[in-house]
């Protein structure tokens, strides 16, 4: 399997949230996710980002991340 690892961009916010939700479901804690796409865009890709994210892509689809 060939993956591309790259720094996430603002347009990846929805995919990042989907991966967060998938992890929460796996951990049987879906109600624990309170972050929104707008939160991710603001806090991760705003003027003073609070976090950085790397994403893993396979065939132009985001399949993993490191937050």
């Amino acid at each position: 399997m060939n993956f591309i690892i790259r720094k996430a961009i603002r347009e990846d916010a929805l995919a990042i949230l989907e991966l967060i939700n998938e992890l929460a479901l796996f951990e049987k804690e879906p109600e624990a996710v309170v972050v929104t796409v707008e939160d991710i865009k603001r806090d991760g890709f705003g003027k003073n980002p609070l976090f950085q994210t790397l994403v893993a892509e396979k065939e132009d689809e985001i399949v993993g991340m490191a937050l």
Side-chain angles (χ1 to χ4, degrees), residues 4-61:
I4 295 172
I5 306 295
R6 63 170 176 79
K7 186 173 179 179
I9 58 173
R10 183 179 182 88
E11 290 76 15
D12 297 328
L14 178 58
I16 292 167
L17 180 58
E18 289 171 350
L19 290 169
I20 291 169
N21 282 318
E22 283 182 32
L23 177 60
L25 282 172
F26 176 79
E27 296 289 341
K28 297 179 178 42
E29 292 284 339
E31 67 282 349
V33 178
V34 295
V35 69
T36 67
V37 170
E38 290 308 314
D39 294 333
I40 293 169
K41 287 180 180 179
R42 180 192 64 238
D43 296 339
F45 304 98
K47 196 171 191 175
N48 297 306
L50 301 176
F51 61 89
Q52 295 181 352
T53 307
L54 297 175
V55 293
E57 282 185 327
K58 182 176 180 178
E59 298 174 4
D60 295 322
E61 180 182 353

